[in-house]
Amino acid sequence: MLEKLAFSQKQRLAYIDFCLLFKGSIYRQDLIKRFEVGLSAGSRDFNLYKELAPQNLEYDVKQKRYFQTSEFKPLFDHDAKRSLIKLANDISDGFDAIGDLHFPVEAPSSLNVPDIFIVARTVQAILNDRALEINYTSLSSGSGKREIVPHSIVDNGMRWHVRAFDRKTESFRDFVLTRISNVKLIGNYEFGEDSNSDTEWQRAISLQLVPHPNNVKFPKAIEMDYAMKNGLLTIDVRAAMAGYLLRRWNVDCTEEATLNGPEYQLWLRNRTSLMNTSNLAIAPGYENNSPAR
């Protein structure tokens, strides 16, 4: 039946499906405002969605809101990677599920794409201030159950992870989405578990990046690549994200710019800015020097 519908109506149905999958609920007014349709047209779309997937949603009369049911199965195929990118940019149109435009642009391969339902449950927890019970497989301790309170999903350039409070260690940590399985929404977050209590997430540090003084023969090229002014690029970044950025850009973090190789085109001029920042083992050359703490 979906194949016989007009493209515009399929897009509206995909939007309903997207909101139920990732947000767990949707107001009728959300659809009306998003697509600028009338009340009667919006009602017809919800009635049609219920006809196509009656087990997917239930209406709460008091809240005047449709909620995802425990038997929910997406009506459309939502691509995990494209959905993550859209969620990161606050786009929730579900358009990729019905045939998005494809441009001839290639990107370097990334690691395994997270399971769409793991992503959906994580997003629901973030949007609704909920905690998650998960099974997590780590490099240090193997597989085991954890309770986490997620507040942000992050693309570190190679893979997606979720920033969350870990009730096991009572600290904020990064959990790789592809290592998470068996996700279940549990209670609400408690005091000290929200993003406002994540000091490294809230703290911004300034990184001063310059062309590498030893590896770059023509620094002007690097200045143009990074839109530097007077040979300097200053970036404000969350302390929790600093290590990822430095690794992704292959920034030499040694005190005297001693890393050799054509991949090191940038040098961190103000290394002391990393004081009291964790997760720096992945910053090129940082752990080979005396700590800047």
Side-chain angles (χ1 to χ4, degrees), residues 210-212 215-216 222 225-226 249-250 261-267:
V210 298
H212 200 287
N215 298 335
V216 176
I222 303 303
D225 282 346
Y226 293 91
W249 287 9
N250 286 325
E263 68 271 28
Y264 301 112
Q265 299 179 345
L266 296 170
W267 175 53

Side-chain angles (χ1 to χ4, degrees), residues 11-194:
Q11 186 178 4
R12 295 195 297 272
L13 293 178
Y15 175 76
I16 295 173
D17 203 51
F18 187 96
C19 290
L20 289 172
L21 175 60
F22 290 101
K23 298 180 180 179
S25 65
I26 180 174
Y27 290 98
R28 186 177 305 173
Q29 201 63 26
D30 293 336
L31 181 73
I32 293 172
K33 288 182 178 180
R34 175 67 178 79
F35 294 96
E36 298 181 353
V37 296
L39 180 61
S40 57
S43 297
R44 285 196 299 270
D45 288 331
F46 275 99
N47 289 334
L48 178 57
Y49 186 90
K50 288 173 63 177
E51 181 182 341
L52 295 171
Q55 79 287 351
N56 276 7
L57 74 170
E58 55 188 4
Y59 187 70
D60 187 299
V61 178
K62 291 184 178 180
Q63 298 189 47
K64 297 182 179 179
R65 186 179 182 185
Y66 290 94
F67 284 90
Q68 177 197 105
T69 66
S70 58
E71 294 81 26
F72 177 86
K73 292 183 179 180
L75 185 61
F76 295 86
D77 293 325
H78 300 274
D79 181 84
K81 185 175 181 180
R82 294 161 72 86
S83 295
L84 276 167
I85 294 172
K86 290 190 173 188
L87 288 165
N89 291 278
D90 197 25
I91 302 172
S92 56
D93 55 12
F95 195 69
D96 62 290
I98 57 173
D100 218 336
L101 295 175
H102 295 278
F103 295 95
V105 176
E106 291 293 330
S109 297
S110 59
L111 296 177
N112 189 27
V113 177
D115 181 271
I116 190 71
F117 296 104
I118 300 298
V119 175
R121 283 287 184 269
T122 304
V123 172
Q124 284 187 44
I126 293 172
L127 294 178
N128 296 289
D129 299 325
R130 300 282 296 279
L132 289 173
E133 181 183 272
I134 65 173
N135 189 77
Y136 190 73
T137 303
S138 71
L139 291 173
S140 59
S141 59
S143 298
K145 283 190 176 182
R146 308 283 275 267
E147 286 189 9
I148 65 171
V149 184
H151 66 70
S152 301
I153 290 179
V154 178
D155 175 15
N156 69 13
M158 290 184 62
R159 56 193 175 194
W160 295 87
H161 70 259
V162 58
R163 183 74 175 176
F165 182 82
D166 177 26
R167 288 178 173 172
K168 180 179 180 180
T169 61
E170 297 185 341
S171 63
F172 286 93
R173 297 195 168 194
D174 299 339
F175 294 88
V176 181
L177 281 173
T178 51
R179 298 177 186 171
I180 296 176
S181 60
N182 302 324
V183 176
K184 183 172 70 173
L185 288 164
I186 51 177
N188 296 328
Y189 74 83
E190 299 176 2
F191 179 78
E193 297 180 336
D194 62 324

